[in-house]
Amino acid sequence: MTTNAPVLTIDGPSGSGKGTISRRVAQRLGWHYLDSGALYRAVGVAAGWADLDLDDHGALVRCTFDTRIGFRDDAAGELRVLVNDVDATDELRTETAGAAASAIAAIPEIRAALKDRQRAFRQPPGLVADGRDMGTVIFPDAPFKVFMTASADERAQRRYKQLNDKGVSVTLDGLLREILARDARDAQRAVAPLRPADDAVHIDTTGLSIEDVVEQVLALVPREG
Ligand SMILES: Nc1ncnc2c1ncn2[C@@H]1O[C@H](COP(=O)(O)OP(=O)(O)OP(=O)(O)O)[C@@H](O)[C@H]1O
Ligand SMILES: Nc1ccn([C@H]2C[C@H](O)[C@@H](COP(=O)(O)O)O2)c(=O)n1
């Protein structure tokens, strides 16, 4: 059952920082958090485990209905994602899983199948939801909406640092190409393309620290006391 609990939506392209900012803002507000991209990534990973062809839309739609997706915080406060009860968090965060998710996310029946699962996260005292269509399609009545961007170069550099820190070997050029390809696919698809809601506040995070962005977003949500 969904409620009228307040929702803060944060949409934007890959690497703009929406996941990092959303998690911190949700913690500060004491609200729930929805990482909607993780749902698409989870379906992509489950499809990979089942050896499904990304062109076989019927099989992918069945896989979406059959895949159990769960979220939990670990002892360090990091969000872990369970796919069919297996912790698939690390596999989910790879560029391969991101690209598969982006391809799968263009299939209208899959977007429809995930709608109610996303809306079920709207629970008191509130929800911070990040993705591509949170403010336009999933929670169009959300009282607080942000469209978060950063230059493609900065997004590639952030991803480069993130992957390097994890010991993953990548090139900056390769990451920039992947980011631009994913931007184009997410923004050009026919259903629920990446675009700002008309009533979204735009925040360009290029050159801003994470703390600065968190404060800018928190300033949009009036709080008691
Ligand atoms: N304002 C910022 N300044 C510097 N680094 C940032 C900033 N915001 C996020 N980052 C870093 O950039 C990387 C990517 O951020 P994050 O994963 O939150 O982006 P995202 O928009 O959710 O990407 P995706 O859609 O691919 O999941 C992380 O390493 C994060 O720590
Ligand atoms: N609301 C959403 C969330 C995600 N997607 C698609 C498009 C992305 O490229 C891919 C992975 O998302 P990420 O984890 O990078 O936020 O999933 C979407 O279409 N709609």
Side-chain angles (χ1 to χ4, degrees):
M1 193 186 77
T2 57
T3 67
N4 284 328
V7 183
L8 162 65
T9 61
I10 305 189
D11 290 306
S14 178
S16 55
K18 55 193 186 304
T20 306
I21 304 302
S22 297
R23 273 194 301 280
R24 291 186 187 211
V25 168
Q27 272 164 4
R28 291 273 295 273
L29 293 171
W31 287 9
H32 301 283
Y33 168 55
L34 166 62
D35 173 0
S36 63
L39 299 176
Y40 292 96
R41 286 174 185 259
V43 173
V45 164
W49 290 347
D51 219 7
L52 300 184
D53 187 332
L54 286 185
D55 290 328
D56 186 348
H57 290 191
L60 291 172
V61 173
R62 281 193 297 281
C63 175
T64 306
F65 283 109
D66 291 345
T67 303
R68 286 185 307 283
I69 307 168
F71 295 90
R72 68 173 175 80
D73 286 325
D74 66 14
E78 295 296 322
L79 185 72
R80 309 299 299 180
V81 186
L82 307 182
V83 179
N84 292 331
D85 306 318
V86 174
D87 187 333
T89 313
D90 295 337
E91 187 172 348
L92 239 66
R93 300 288 9 135
T94 62
E95 293 304 306
T96 309
S102 174
I104 279 174
I107 303 170
E109 294 84 354
I110 291 185
R111 301 201 74 83
L114 290 175
K115 241 183 206 177
D116 287 348
R117 283 203 214 182
Q118 295 173 84
R119 289 185 174 151
F121 280 78
R122 184 176 199 169
Q123 296 293 337
L127 173 69
V128 181
D130 92 62
R132 305 292 185 289
D133 61 343
M134 296 296 97
T136 50
V137 175
I138 303 298
F139 303 110
D141 63 334
F144 314 110
K145 297 184 186 177
V146 169
F147 192 74
M148 191 165 280
T149 55
S151 70
D153 281 340
E154 173 136 348
R155 290 186 283 131
Q157 265 159 19
R158 287 177 186 172
R159 191 68 78 207
Y160 182 73
K161 180 174 181 317
Q162 190 180 32
L163 293 171
N164 251 358
D165 289 349
K166 285 189 195 162
V168 182
S169 157
V170 280
T171 66
L172 196 52
D173 272 2
L175 284 176
L176 183 59
R177 270 197 305 277
E178 279 171 26
I179 277 180
L180 292 173
R182 189 126 73 94
D183 282 359
R185 203 166 36 224
D186 292 347
Q188 286 165 14
R189 67 176 176 234
V191 185
L194 169 66
R195 69 165 183 83
D198 293 340
D199 49 352
V201 173
H202 291 238
I203 299 181
D204 182 347
T205 69
T206 312
L208 297 182
S209 71
I210 291 174
E211 290 69 29
D212 285 344
V213 182
V214 167
E215 293 306 327
Q216 277 196 34
V217 173
L218 280 172
L220 301 173
V221 183
R223 279 171 289 167
E224 290 163 16

